[in-house]
Amino acid sequence: MEEKELLSLARGIIENSYAPYSNFRVAAIVETRSGKLYYGVNVENASYGLSICAERVAVFNAVTHGHRDIENVYIFTESDQPVSPCGACRQVISEFNPKATIVSYSLRTGDKVVWNLEDLLPHQFRLEDKSK
Ligand code: THU
């Protein structure tokens, strides 16, 4: 998908962010190998610890729809600098693709940063292969 289209999609999705406590709105889009897109926003809770990041919602949405072949994860915020995903989200994405491409945008400035998840989360936790 073209970057311009992706950004305009994200501007719509971030409106659904539920962030009354932090006022920090986040949207995420997961793109699968076949080009399917799944969305997520951060959803906060009065019991703060129950809040969930946009990236995890997007990954769980892809998996719920039967798509585990995550290729790219796009993150959108309205902060001055693009954000990097939190440790919990890195681990969740790496379950499905430790080499996923992470692209983070500031919708305010248009700045963009690209990482490979390998660099953000080396030595991720994996359970031993139980089939051995
Ligand atoms: N948040 C995300 O959704 N993704 C990130 O990558 C960083 C943090 C959310 C969690 C919380 O709702 C708010 O941003 C402030 O931490």
Side-chain angles (χ1 to χ4, degrees):
M1 172 177 279
E2 278 209 21
E3 193 164 82
K4 232 172 112 180
E5 261 182 284
L6 199 66
L7 288 170
S8 118
L9 191 58
R11 285 202 173 86
I13 297 165
I14 206 169
E15 290 300 322
N16 296 329
S17 157
Y18 179 72
Y21 305 104
S22 71
N23 285 315
F24 190 78
R25 304 198 299 178
V26 187
I29 300 178
V30 160
E31 186 171 26
T32 66
R33 211 158 292 142
S34 56
K36 286 197 168 6
L37 302 179
Y38 294 94
Y39 312 149
V41 292
N42 55 331
V43 182
E44 298 186 344
N45 192 276
S47 178
Y48 295 170
L50 301 182
S51 303
I52 185 166
C53 296
E55 296 91 320
R56 268 175 287 160
V57 173
V59 169
F60 297 157
N61 197 13
V63 172
T64 298
H65 286 88
H67 295 276
R68 301 174 189 170
D69 54 340
I70 290 169
E71 193 156 86
N72 303 308
V73 179
Y74 302 98
I75 306 166
F76 308 89
T77 61
E78 295 156 313
S79 50
D80 291 338
Q81 304 287 328
V83 299
S84 76
C86 80
C89 290
R90 294 177 195 198
Q91 175 69 26
V92 166
I93 299 163
S94 82
E95 177 77 19
F96 301 104
N97 182 1
K99 296 185 175 181
T101 299
I102 313 291
V103 187
S104 184
Y105 290 93
S106 160
L107 291 174
R108 183 184 297 169
T109 63
D111 286 354
K112 161 175 137 178
V113 182
V114 183
W115 295 276
N116 192 286
L117 185 56
E118 269 189 301
D119 299 319
L120 295 182
L121 187 68
H123 312 292
Q124 84 272 34
F125 175 69
R126 290 217 165 254
L127 283 177
E128 314 176 307
D129 185 351
K130 293 267 180 359
S131 62
K132 281 183 197 156

